[in-house]
Amino acid sequence: MKKLSLIIIAILLPLVTFAQRGLNIGYIDMDYILENIPEYQEASAQLDRRVQEWKNEIDSKRREISEIQTQLENERALLTKELLEEREEDIKYLQDQLTEYQQKRFGPGGDFIIQKKKLIKPIQDQVFTAVQEIAERRKFDFIFDRTSEIGMIYAKSNYDMSDQVLRIITRAANREQIETRKDRIELEQAENRTVAQDSVIQARAQASENAKTERELYIEQRRRERDSLRAIKKAEFEARRERILKERKARQDSIQAAREALQQKKDTIN
């Protein structure tokens, strides 16, 4: 509670001082700005068309899976257990592929989010540049975007009290952690460390970061191996599907040939 009080005091005292001369505050409506920029509207329309193409592809894949499922149900009684399991595995594979495609296009890190950011970032940069220019020319202290989750998009640097708050928190935390004479000695040593000693500590931190990078490279290698296995499985599925289609065509041709031979025999007898 005492720590929180110190932080609040550090924040409020400067604001009280500045409030004596009055604050100059403005706001923008980013949605309104975007709606009135032709370049943004054109790019947004292009993105909408691309999104519709992705949705059409998803619907097409869904219909394909549904047709295969219906065909399987119609042929279920004629299939051996092995063939039935194989066909069901193929359907499961297609369903997994569809889910993966949906995530690729519309997931949290999917193409839609990436393209949306690429679309809006150049406009945002222009807006922020214009806001900076207006703020400096008209002496604004703060400017907000009322439609944004970010809220404040401009503030004078002399209102930034982040370092003050950090110093208060750090001092308070260090004092609270000093419970023994050993802790007090260690704190004093930390405050009196030389540049060389700090360099050693930084080197250790860098070594830890390098180890983290090696771990990330290992994870990336495992991901590539999984992608390779997935590609092999897809190739096997396509080959198996082609074989099934050929066998089905051969059966259909055989049945048709038998029917034609039977019809010719009947025509000969008659």
Side-chain angles (χ1 to χ4, degrees), residues 41-97:
Q41 293 302 315
E42 180 180 352
S44 182
Q46 292 177 0
L47 178 59
D48 290 341
R49 287 193 292 270
R50 187 170 300 176
V51 167
Q52 188 58 51
E53 291 175 0
W54 294 339
K55 290 181 178 179
N56 291 340
E57 291 176 5
I58 291 172
D59 290 339
S60 176
K61 292 177 184 292
R62 283 203 185 105
R63 286 194 298 270
E64 180 184 355
I65 294 173
S66 178
E67 290 172 0
I68 295 175
Q69 288 175 322
T70 300
Q71 189 174 23
L72 175 60
E73 291 303 320
N74 293 336
E75 299 177 358
R76 182 178 291 274
L78 304 176
L79 299 175
T80 64
K81 180 181 178 181
E82 291 76 13
L83 283 175
L84 182 61
E85 291 177 351
E86 187 176 287
R87 299 276 291 278
E88 288 177 341
E89 182 180 347
D90 291 343
I91 292 174
K92 176 65 166 54
Y93 175 78
L94 288 175
Q95 291 172 333
D96 291 343
Q97 289 291 99

Short mmCIF file of all heavy atoms in Angstrom, two decimals, residues 41-97:
data_model
loop_
_atom_site.label_atom_id
_atom_site.label_comp_id
_atom_site.label_asym_id
_atom_site.label_seq_id
_atom_site.Cartn_x
_atom_site.Cartn_y
_atom_site.Cartn_z
N GLN A 41 -9.78 3.06 -49.07
CA GLN A 41 -11.02 2.42 -49.49
C GLN A 41 -10.78 1.45 -50.65
O GLN A 41 -11.34 0.34 -50.69
CB GLN A 41 -12.05 3.47 -49.89
CG GLN A 41 -12.54 4.33 -48.74
CD GLN A 41 -13.17 3.50 -47.64
OE1 GLN A 41 -13.96 2.60 -47.90
NE2 GLN A 41 -12.80 3.80 -46.40
N GLU A 42 -9.93 1.84 -51.59
CA GLU A 42 -9.62 0.97 -52.73
C GLU A 42 -8.88 -0.28 -52.27
O GLU A 42 -9.21 -1.40 -52.68
CB GLU A 42 -8.78 1.74 -53.75
CG GLU A 42 -8.42 0.92 -54.97
CD GLU A 42 -7.57 1.69 -55.96
OE1 GLU A 42 -7.39 2.92 -55.76
OE2 GLU A 42 -7.08 1.09 -56.93
N ALA A 43 -7.87 -0.10 -51.42
CA ALA A 43 -7.12 -1.25 -50.91
C ALA A 43 -8.01 -2.16 -50.06
O ALA A 43 -7.89 -3.38 -50.10
CB ALA A 43 -5.91 -0.77 -50.09
N SER A 44 -8.92 -1.55 -49.29
CA SER A 44 -9.84 -2.33 -48.47
C SER A 44 -10.77 -3.17 -49.34
O SER A 44 -11.07 -4.33 -49.02
CB SER A 44 -10.66 -1.39 -47.57
OG SER A 44 -11.52 -2.13 -46.74
N ALA A 45 -11.22 -2.60 -50.46
CA ALA A 45 -12.08 -3.35 -51.38
C ALA A 45 -11.32 -4.53 -51.98
O ALA A 45 -11.89 -5.62 -52.15
CB ALA A 45 -12.60 -2.42 -52.48
N GLN A 46 -10.04 -4.33 -52.30
CA GLN A 46 -9.23 -5.42 -52.82
C GLN A 46 -9.09 -6.54 -51.80
O GLN A 46 -9.17 -7.73 -52.14
CB GLN A 46 -7.85 -4.89 -53.22
CG GLN A 46 -7.87 -3.95 -54.42
CD GLN A 46 -6.49 -3.40 -54.74
OE1 GLN A 46 -5.51 -3.71 -54.06
NE2 GLN A 46 -6.41 -2.57 -55.77
N LEU A 47 -8.88 -6.15 -50.54
CA LEU A 47 -8.77 -7.15 -49.49
C LEU A 47 -10.09 -7.90 -49.33
O LEU A 47 -10.10 -9.12 -49.14
CB LEU A 47 -8.37 -6.49 -48.17
CG LEU A 47 -8.26 -7.44 -46.95
CD1 LEU A 47 -7.24 -8.53 -47.22
CD2 LEU A 47 -7.89 -6.65 -45.71
N ASP A 48 -11.21 -7.21 -49.40
CA ASP A 48 -12.52 -7.86 -49.29
C ASP A 48 -12.71 -8.90 -50.39
O ASP A 48 -13.25 -9.99 -50.15
CB ASP A 48 -13.64 -6.82 -49.35
CG ASP A 48 -13.70 -5.95 -48.12
OD1 ASP A 48 -13.13 -6.36 -47.08
OD2 ASP A 48 -14.29 -4.86 -48.17
N ARG A 49 -12.27 -8.56 -51.61
CA ARG A 49 -12.39 -9.52 -52.71
C ARG A 49 -11.51 -10.75 -52.47
O ARG A 49 -11.92 -11.88 -52.74
CB ARG A 49 -12.00 -8.84 -54.03
CG ARG A 49 -13.04 -7.84 -54.53
CD ARG A 49 -12.76 -7.44 -55.97
NE ARG A 49 -11.54 -6.65 -56.09
CZ ARG A 49 -11.50 -5.33 -56.00
NH1 ARG A 49 -12.60 -4.62 -55.76
NH2 ARG A 49 -10.35 -4.68 -56.16
N ARG A 50 -10.33 -10.51 -51.94
CA ARG A 50 -9.44 -11.64 -51.64
C ARG A 50 -10.03 -12.52 -50.54
O ARG A 50 -9.96 -13.76 -50.61
CB ARG A 50 -8.07 -11.12 -51.22
CG ARG A 50 -7.02 -12.21 -51.04
CD ARG A 50 -5.65 -11.61 -50.86
NE ARG A 50 -5.27 -10.81 -52.02
CZ ARG A 50 -4.13 -10.12 -52.08
NH1 ARG A 50 -3.30 -10.13 -51.05
NH2 ARG A 50 -3.84 -9.43 -53.15
N VAL A 51 -10.61 -11.89 -49.54
CA VAL A 51 -11.25 -12.64 -48.45
C VAL A 51 -12.39 -13.50 -49.00
O VAL A 51 -12.56 -14.66 -48.60
CB VAL A 51 -11.76 -11.68 -47.37
CG1 VAL A 51 -12.70 -12.40 -46.40
CG2 VAL A 51 -10.60 -11.07 -46.59
N GLN A 52 -13.16 -12.95 -49.93
CA GLN A 52 -14.26 -13.72 -50.51
C GLN A 52 -13.73 -14.91 -51.30
O GLN A 52 -14.33 -16.00 -51.27
CB GLN A 52 -15.09 -12.81 -51.44
CG GLN A 52 -16.36 -13.46 -51.94
CD GLN A 52 -17.27 -13.90 -50.80
OE1 GLN A 52 -17.57 -13.12 -49.90
NE2 GLN A 52 -17.70 -15.15 -50.82
N GLU A 53 -12.60 -14.74 -51.97
CA GLU A 53 -11.98 -15.86 -52.69
C GLU A 53 -11.57 -16.96 -51.70
O GLU A 53 -11.79 -18.15 -51.97
CB GLU A 53 -10.76 -15.38 -53.47
CG GLU A 53 -11.10 -14.48 -54.65
CD GLU A 53 -9.85 -13.93 -55.33
OE1 GLU A 53 -8.73 -14.27 -54.86
OE2 GLU A 53 -9.99 -13.18 -56.32
N TRP A 54 -10.99 -16.56 -50.57
CA TRP A 54 -10.61 -17.55 -49.56
C TRP A 54 -11.83 -18.29 -49.03
O TRP A 54 -11.81 -19.51 -48.85
CB TRP A 54 -9.87 -16.86 -48.42
CG TRP A 54 -8.55 -16.28 -48.81
CD1 TRP A 54 -7.78 -16.63 -49.89
CD2 TRP A 54 -7.84 -15.23 -48.16
NE1 TRP A 54 -6.64 -15.87 -49.94
CE2 TRP A 54 -6.64 -15.01 -48.90
CE3 TRP A 54 -8.07 -14.46 -47.04
CZ2 TRP A 54 -5.70 -14.05 -48.54
CZ3 TRP A 54 -7.14 -13.50 -46.66
CH2 TRP A 54 -5.96 -13.30 -47.40
N LYS A 55 -12.91 -17.55 -48.78
CA LYS A 55 -14.13 -18.18 -48.28
C LYS A 55 -14.71 -19.15 -49.32
O LYS A 55 -15.21 -20.22 -48.96
CB LYS A 55 -15.17 -17.11 -47.93
CG LYS A 55 -14.81 -16.29 -46.70
CD LYS A 55 -15.89 -15.27 -46.38
CE LYS A 55 -15.55 -14.49 -45.12
NZ LYS A 55 -16.58 -13.46 -44.80
N ASN A 56 -14.64 -18.77 -50.59
CA ASN A 56 -15.13 -19.66 -51.64
C ASN A 56 -14.31 -20.95 -51.69
O ASN A 56 -14.86 -22.04 -51.90
CB ASN A 56 -15.07 -18.96 -53.00
CG ASN A 56 -16.08 -17.82 -53.11
OD1 ASN A 56 -17.06 -17.78 -52.36
ND2 ASN A 56 -15.86 -16.91 -54.02
N GLU A 57 -12.99 -20.82 -51.52
CA GLU A 57 -12.13 -22.00 -51.50
C GLU A 57 -12.49 -22.92 -50.33
O GLU A 57 -12.53 -24.15 -50.48
CB GLU A 57 -10.67 -21.58 -51.40
CG GLU A 57 -10.14 -20.89 -52.66
CD GLU A 57 -8.72 -20.40 -52.48
OE1 GLU A 57 -8.12 -20.68 -51.42
OE2 GLU A 57 -8.21 -19.73 -53.40
N ILE A 58 -12.76 -22.32 -49.17
CA ILE A 58 -13.13 -23.11 -47.99
C ILE A 58 -14.45 -23.82 -48.24
O ILE A 58 -14.61 -25.02 -47.93
CB ILE A 58 -13.21 -22.20 -46.75
CG1 ILE A 58 -11.81 -21.72 -46.36
CG2 ILE A 58 -13.86 -22.93 -45.58
CD1 ILE A 58 -11.78 -20.68 -45.27
N ASP A 59 -15.43 -23.11 -48.81
CA ASP A 59 -16.73 -23.73 -49.10
C ASP A 59 -16.57 -24.87 -50.10
O ASP A 59 -17.22 -25.92 -49.98
CB ASP A 59 -17.69 -22.68 -49.66
CG ASP A 59 -18.12 -21.67 -48.61
OD1 ASP A 59 -18.00 -21.99 -47.41
OD2 ASP A 59 -18.56 -20.57 -48.98
N SER A 60 -15.71 -24.68 -51.11
CA SER A 60 -15.48 -25.73 -52.10
C SER A 60 -14.87 -26.98 -51.46
O SER A 60 -15.29 -28.11 -51.76
CB SER A 60 -14.55 -25.20 -53.21
OG SER A 60 -14.24 -26.22 -54.13
N LYS A 61 -13.91 -26.78 -50.57
CA LYS A 61 -13.29 -27.91 -49.88
C LYS A 61 -14.31 -28.62 -48.99
O LYS A 61 -14.31 -29.86 -48.89
CB LYS A 61 -12.10 -27.43 -49.04
CG LYS A 61 -10.92 -26.92 -49.85
CD LYS A 61 -9.82 -26.40 -48.95
CE LYS A 61 -8.68 -25.78 -49.75
NZ LYS A 61 -7.95 -26.80 -50.53
N ARG A 62 -15.19 -27.85 -48.34
CA ARG A 62 -16.23 -28.46 -47.50
C ARG A 62 -17.16 -29.33 -48.36
O ARG A 62 -17.53 -30.43 -47.94
CB ARG A 62 -17.05 -27.36 -46.80
CG ARG A 62 -16.37 -26.72 -45.62
CD ARG A 62 -17.40 -26.10 -44.70
NE ARG A 62 -16.78 -25.36 -43.61
CZ ARG A 62 -16.72 -24.02 -43.55
NH1 ARG A 62 -17.22 -23.29 -44.53
NH2 ARG A 62 -16.15 -23.41 -42.53
N ARG A 63 -17.56 -28.81 -49.51
CA ARG A 63 -18.45 -29.58 -50.39
C ARG A 63 -17.77 -30.86 -50.87
O ARG A 63 -18.41 -31.92 -50.94
CB ARG A 63 -18.87 -28.72 -51.58
CG ARG A 63 -19.89 -27.65 -51.23
CD ARG A 63 -20.51 -27.06 -52.48
NE ARG A 63 -19.52 -26.41 -53.32
CZ ARG A 63 -19.18 -25.14 -53.22
NH1 ARG A 63 -19.74 -24.37 -52.30
NH2 ARG A 63 -18.27 -24.61 -54.03
N GLU A 64 -16.49 -30.77 -51.19
CA GLU A 64 -15.75 -31.95 -51.64
C GLU A 64 -15.73 -33.02 -50.55
O GLU A 64 -15.97 -34.21 -50.82
CB GLU A 64 -14.33 -31.55 -52.01
CG GLU A 64 -13.48 -32.72 -52.49
CD GLU A 64 -12.04 -32.33 -52.76
OE1 GLU A 64 -11.74 -31.12 -52.67
OE2 GLU A 64 -11.23 -33.22 -53.07
N ILE A 65 -15.46 -32.60 -49.32
CA ILE A 65 -15.43 -33.56 -48.20
C ILE A 65 -16.81 -34.16 -47.99
O ILE A 65 -16.95 -35.37 -47.75
CB ILE A 65 -14.93 -32.86 -46.92
CG1 ILE A 65 -13.46 -32.45 -47.08
CG2 ILE A 65 -15.08 -33.79 -45.71
CD1 ILE A 65 -12.93 -31.61 -45.93
N SER A 66 -17.85 -33.33 -48.08
CA SER A 66 -19.21 -33.82 -47.88
C SER A 66 -19.58 -34.86 -48.94
O SER A 66 -20.20 -35.89 -48.64
CB SER A 66 -20.19 -32.65 -47.93
OG SER A 66 -21.52 -33.10 -47.79
N GLU A 67 -19.17 -34.61 -50.19
CA GLU A 67 -19.46 -35.56 -51.26
C GLU A 67 -18.74 -36.89 -51.03
O GLU A 67 -19.31 -37.96 -51.26
CB GLU A 67 -19.05 -34.95 -52.60
CG GLU A 67 -19.94 -33.79 -53.04
CD GLU A 67 -19.39 -33.09 -54.27
OE1 GLU A 67 -18.33 -33.53 -54.77
OE2 GLU A 67 -20.03 -32.11 -54.73
N ILE A 68 -17.48 -36.81 -50.59
CA ILE A 68 -16.72 -38.03 -50.32
C ILE A 68 -17.36 -38.81 -49.18
O ILE A 68 -17.45 -40.05 -49.21
CB ILE A 68 -15.25 -37.69 -50.02
CG1 ILE A 68 -14.58 -37.08 -51.25
CG2 ILE A 68 -14.49 -38.92 -49.57
CD1 ILE A 68 -13.16 -36.60 -51.01
N GLN A 69 -17.81 -38.09 -48.14
CA GLN A 69 -18.47 -38.75 -47.01
C GLN A 69 -19.76 -39.45 -47.45
O GLN A 69 -20.04 -40.58 -47.05
CB GLN A 69 -18.77 -37.73 -45.91
CG GLN A 69 -17.53 -37.25 -45.16
CD GLN A 69 -17.84 -36.16 -44.17
OE1 GLN A 69 -18.68 -35.29 -44.43
NE2 GLN A 69 -17.18 -36.18 -43.03
N THR A 70 -20.54 -38.77 -48.29
CA THR A 70 -21.78 -39.35 -48.79
C THR A 70 -21.50 -40.59 -49.62
O THR A 70 -22.18 -41.62 -49.50
CB THR A 70 -22.55 -38.32 -49.64
OG1 THR A 70 -22.84 -37.17 -48.84
CG2 THR A 70 -23.84 -38.91 -50.18
N GLN A 71 -20.49 -40.52 -50.47
CA GLN A 71 -20.13 -41.66 -51.30
C GLN A 71 -19.68 -42.84 -50.45
O GLN A 71 -20.01 -44.00 -50.73
CB GLN A 71 -19.01 -41.25 -52.26
CG GLN A 71 -18.70 -42.29 -53.32
CD GLN A 71 -17.69 -41.78 -54.31
OE1 GLN A 71 -16.92 -40.88 -54.02
NE2 GLN A 71 -17.70 -42.35 -55.50
N LEU A 72 -18.93 -42.53 -49.38
CA LEU A 72 -18.48 -43.59 -48.48
C LEU A 72 -19.67 -44.28 -47.82
O LEU A 72 -19.69 -45.51 -47.71
CB LEU A 72 -17.53 -43.02 -47.43
CG LEU A 72 -17.07 -44.00 -46.34
CD1 LEU A 72 -16.33 -45.18 -46.95
CD2 LEU A 72 -16.19 -43.30 -45.32
N GLU A 73 -20.64 -43.51 -47.38
CA GLU A 73 -21.81 -44.10 -46.73
C GLU A 73 -22.58 -45.00 -47.71
O GLU A 73 -23.09 -46.05 -47.33
CB GLU A 73 -22.72 -42.99 -46.20
CG GLU A 73 -22.14 -42.21 -45.02
CD GLU A 73 -21.80 -43.11 -43.85
OE1 GLU A 73 -22.58 -44.04 -43.57
OE2 GLU A 73 -20.73 -42.91 -43.24
N ASN A 74 -22.64 -44.58 -48.96
CA ASN A 74 -23.35 -45.36 -49.97
C ASN A 74 -22.63 -46.68 -50.28
O ASN A 74 -23.27 -47.68 -50.63
CB ASN A 74 -23.52 -44.56 -51.26
CG ASN A 74 -24.44 -43.37 -51.08
OD1 ASN A 74 -25.29 -43.37 -50.18
ND2 ASN A 74 -24.30 -42.36 -51.91
N GLU A 75 -21.30 -46.67 -50.16
CA GLU A 75 -20.52 -47.85 -50.50
C GLU A 75 -20.06 -48.63 -49.26
O GLU A 75 -19.35 -49.63 -49.40
CB GLU A 75 -19.29 -47.43 -51.31
CG GLU A 75 -19.62 -46.74 -52.62
CD GLU A 75 -18.38 -46.28 -53.36
OE1 GLU A 75 -17.28 -46.48 -52.82
OE2 GLU A 75 -18.52 -45.73 -54.46
N ARG A 76 -20.45 -48.19 -48.08
CA ARG A 76 -19.94 -48.79 -46.85
C ARG A 76 -20.16 -50.30 -46.81
O ARG A 76 -19.26 -51.06 -46.43
CB ARG A 76 -20.61 -48.12 -45.65
CG ARG A 76 -20.11 -48.63 -44.30
CD ARG A 76 -20.79 -47.88 -43.17
NE ARG A 76 -20.36 -46.49 -43.12
CZ ARG A 76 -19.27 -46.08 -42.46
NH1 ARG A 76 -18.50 -46.96 -41.82
NH2 ARG A 76 -18.94 -44.81 -42.46
N ALA A 77 -21.33 -50.76 -47.20
CA ALA A 77 -21.65 -52.19 -47.11
C ALA A 77 -20.82 -53.03 -48.06
O ALA A 77 -20.68 -54.25 -47.87
CB ALA A 77 -23.13 -52.41 -47.39
N LEU A 78 -20.25 -52.42 -49.09
CA LEU A 78 -19.49 -53.16 -50.10
C LEU A 78 -17.99 -53.19 -49.81
O LEU A 78 -17.25 -53.89 -50.49
CB LEU A 78 -19.72 -52.54 -51.48
CG LEU A 78 -21.18 -52.42 -51.93
CD1 LEU A 78 -21.26 -51.69 -53.26
CD2 LEU A 78 -21.82 -53.81 -52.03
N LEU A 79 -17.54 -52.40 -48.83
CA LEU A 79 -16.12 -52.26 -48.56
C LEU A 79 -15.65 -53.22 -47.47
O LEU A 79 -16.40 -53.52 -46.52
CB LEU A 79 -15.79 -50.82 -48.14
CG LEU A 79 -16.09 -49.73 -49.17
CD1 LEU A 79 -15.83 -48.36 -48.57
CD2 LEU A 79 -15.27 -49.93 -50.43
N THR A 80 -14.42 -53.70 -47.62
CA THR A 80 -13.81 -54.49 -46.55
C THR A 80 -13.44 -53.57 -45.39
O THR A 80 -13.44 -52.34 -45.53
CB THR A 80 -12.55 -55.20 -47.06
OG1 THR A 80 -11.58 -54.20 -47.41
CG2 THR A 80 -12.85 -56.06 -48.27
N LYS A 81 -13.13 -54.15 -44.26
CA LYS A 81 -12.77 -53.36 -43.09
C LYS A 81 -11.53 -52.51 -43.37
O LYS A 81 -11.47 -51.33 -42.98
CB LYS A 81 -12.49 -54.29 -41.91
CG LYS A 81 -12.10 -53.54 -40.63
CD LYS A 81 -11.82 -54.52 -39.50
CE LYS A 81 -11.38 -53.76 -38.24
NZ LYS A 81 -11.07 -54.69 -37.12
N GLU A 82 -10.55 -53.09 -44.09
CA GLU A 82 -9.32 -52.35 -44.40
C GLU A 82 -9.60 -51.16 -45.30
O GLU A 82 -9.11 -50.04 -45.07
CB GLU A 82 -8.30 -53.28 -45.05
CG GLU A 82 -7.71 -54.35 -44.13
CD GLU A 82 -8.69 -55.50 -43.88
OE1 GLU A 82 -9.72 -55.57 -44.61
OE2 GLU A 82 -8.44 -56.28 -42.96
N LEU A 83 -10.41 -51.38 -46.35
CA LEU A 83 -10.73 -50.28 -47.25
C LEU A 83 -11.55 -49.20 -46.55
O LEU A 83 -11.37 -48.01 -46.79
CB LEU A 83 -11.51 -50.82 -48.46
CG LEU A 83 -10.69 -51.54 -49.53
CD1 LEU A 83 -11.60 -52.10 -50.61
CD2 LEU A 83 -9.67 -50.59 -50.15
N LEU A 84 -12.46 -49.63 -45.68
CA LEU A 84 -13.28 -48.67 -44.94
C LEU A 84 -12.41 -47.78 -44.06
O LEU A 84 -12.56 -46.55 -44.04
CB LEU A 84 -14.32 -49.42 -44.10
CG LEU A 84 -15.29 -48.55 -43.30
CD1 LEU A 84 -16.11 -47.67 -44.22
CD2 LEU A 84 -16.20 -49.42 -42.43
N GLU A 85 -11.48 -48.38 -43.32
CA GLU A 85 -10.58 -47.61 -42.46
C GLU A 85 -9.71 -46.67 -43.28
O GLU A 85 -9.44 -45.53 -42.88
CB GLU A 85 -9.71 -48.56 -41.63
CG GLU A 85 -10.50 -49.34 -40.57
CD GLU A 85 -9.62 -50.32 -39.82
OE1 GLU A 85 -8.45 -50.52 -40.26
OE2 GLU A 85 -10.08 -50.90 -38.81
N GLU A 86 -9.28 -47.15 -44.45
CA GLU A 86 -8.44 -46.33 -45.32
C GLU A 86 -9.20 -45.11 -45.82
O GLU A 86 -8.67 -43.98 -45.81
CB GLU A 86 -7.96 -47.18 -46.49
CG GLU A 86 -6.94 -46.50 -47.38
CD GLU A 86 -6.44 -47.42 -48.47
OE1 GLU A 86 -5.66 -48.34 -48.15
OE2 GLU A 86 -6.84 -47.22 -49.62
N ARG A 87 -10.45 -45.32 -46.25
CA ARG A 87 -11.27 -44.21 -46.74
C ARG A 87 -11.59 -43.22 -45.62
O ARG A 87 -11.59 -41.99 -45.83
CB ARG A 87 -12.56 -44.75 -47.35
CG ARG A 87 -12.35 -45.68 -48.55
CD ARG A 87 -12.17 -44.93 -49.83
NE ARG A 87 -13.40 -44.29 -50.24
CZ ARG A 87 -14.38 -44.91 -50.88
NH1 ARG A 87 -14.26 -46.21 -51.20
NH2 ARG A 87 -15.47 -44.26 -51.23
N GLU A 88 -11.87 -43.72 -44.43
CA GLU A 88 -12.15 -42.84 -43.29
C GLU A 88 -10.91 -42.03 -42.92
O GLU A 88 -11.01 -40.85 -42.54
CB GLU A 88 -12.63 -43.67 -42.09
CG GLU A 88 -14.04 -44.23 -42.28
CD GLU A 88 -14.46 -45.10 -41.12
OE1 GLU A 88 -13.56 -45.58 -40.38
OE2 GLU A 88 -15.67 -45.33 -40.96
N GLU A 89 -9.74 -42.67 -43.03
CA GLU A 89 -8.49 -41.94 -42.74
C GLU A 89 -8.28 -40.83 -43.77
O GLU A 89 -7.82 -39.74 -43.43
CB GLU A 89 -7.31 -42.91 -42.77
CG GLU A 89 -5.98 -42.24 -42.43
CD GLU A 89 -4.82 -43.22 -42.47
OE1 GLU A 89 -5.08 -44.44 -42.51
OE2 GLU A 89 -3.67 -42.77 -42.47
N ASP A 90 -8.62 -41.11 -45.03
CA ASP A 90 -8.50 -40.09 -46.07
C ASP A 90 -9.40 -38.89 -45.78
O ASP A 90 -9.00 -37.73 -45.95
CB ASP A 90 -8.86 -40.68 -47.44
CG ASP A 90 -7.82 -41.69 -47.91
OD1 ASP A 90 -6.70 -41.68 -47.35
OD2 ASP A 90 -8.13 -42.48 -48.81
N ILE A 91 -10.62 -39.18 -45.34
CA ILE A 91 -11.56 -38.10 -45.01
C ILE A 91 -11.04 -37.29 -43.84
O ILE A 91 -11.09 -36.04 -43.85
CB ILE A 91 -12.95 -38.67 -44.70
CG1 ILE A 91 -13.57 -39.25 -45.98
CG2 ILE A 91 -13.87 -37.60 -44.12
CD1 ILE A 91 -14.86 -39.97 -45.76
N LYS A 92 -10.51 -37.97 -42.83
CA LYS A 92 -9.94 -37.26 -41.68
C LYS A 92 -8.78 -36.38 -42.12
O LYS A 92 -8.64 -35.23 -41.64
CB LYS A 92 -9.45 -38.29 -40.65
CG LYS A 92 -8.74 -37.70 -39.43
CD LYS A 92 -9.70 -36.88 -38.60
CE LYS A 92 -9.13 -36.55 -37.22
NZ LYS A 92 -7.82 -35.92 -37.24
N TYR A 93 -7.97 -36.85 -43.03
CA TYR A 93 -6.85 -36.06 -43.53
C TYR A 93 -7.36 -34.81 -44.23
O TYR A 93 -6.83 -33.70 -44.02
CB TYR A 93 -6.01 -36.91 -44.48
CG TYR A 93 -4.89 -36.14 -45.14
CD1 TYR A 93 -3.72 -35.85 -44.44
CD2 TYR A 93 -5.00 -35.69 -46.45
CE1 TYR A 93 -2.69 -35.14 -45.03
CE2 TYR A 93 -3.98 -34.98 -47.05
CZ TYR A 93 -2.83 -34.71 -46.34
OH TYR A 93 -1.82 -33.99 -46.91
N LEU A 94 -8.38 -34.95 -45.07
CA LEU A 94 -8.94 -33.79 -45.77
C LEU A 94 -9.53 -32.78 -44.78
O LEU A 94 -9.39 -31.57 -44.97
CB LEU A 94 -10.03 -34.26 -46.75
CG LEU A 94 -9.53 -34.98 -48.00
CD1 LEU A 94 -10.71 -35.49 -48.81
CD2 LEU A 94 -8.67 -34.07 -48.86
N GLN A 95 -10.18 -33.27 -43.74
CA GLN A 95 -10.75 -32.38 -42.73
C GLN A 95 -9.65 -31.62 -42.00
O GLN A 95 -9.78 -30.42 -41.73
CB GLN A 95 -11.60 -33.17 -41.75
CG GLN A 95 -12.89 -33.72 -42.35
CD GLN A 95 -13.62 -34.66 -41.42
OE1 GLN A 95 -13.01 -35.31 -40.56
NE2 GLN A 95 -14.93 -34.75 -41.58
N ASP A 96 -8.56 -32.31 -41.68
CA ASP A 96 -7.42 -31.65 -41.02
C ASP A 96 -6.81 -30.59 -41.93
O ASP A 96 -6.43 -29.50 -41.48
CB ASP A 96 -6.36 -32.68 -40.63
CG ASP A 96 -6.82 -33.60 -39.51
OD1 ASP A 96 -7.80 -33.23 -38.83
OD2 ASP A 96 -6.23 -34.68 -39.32
N GLN A 97 -6.71 -30.92 -43.23
CA GLN A 97 -6.17 -29.97 -44.18
C GLN A 97 -7.05 -28.72 -44.27
O GLN A 97 -6.56 -27.60 -44.37
CB GLN A 97 -6.07 -30.62 -45.57
CG GLN A 97 -4.97 -31.66 -45.69
CD GLN A 97 -3.58 -31.04 -45.62
OE1 GLN A 97 -2.94 -31.06 -44.57
NE2 GLN A 97 -3.12 -30.50 -46.71
#
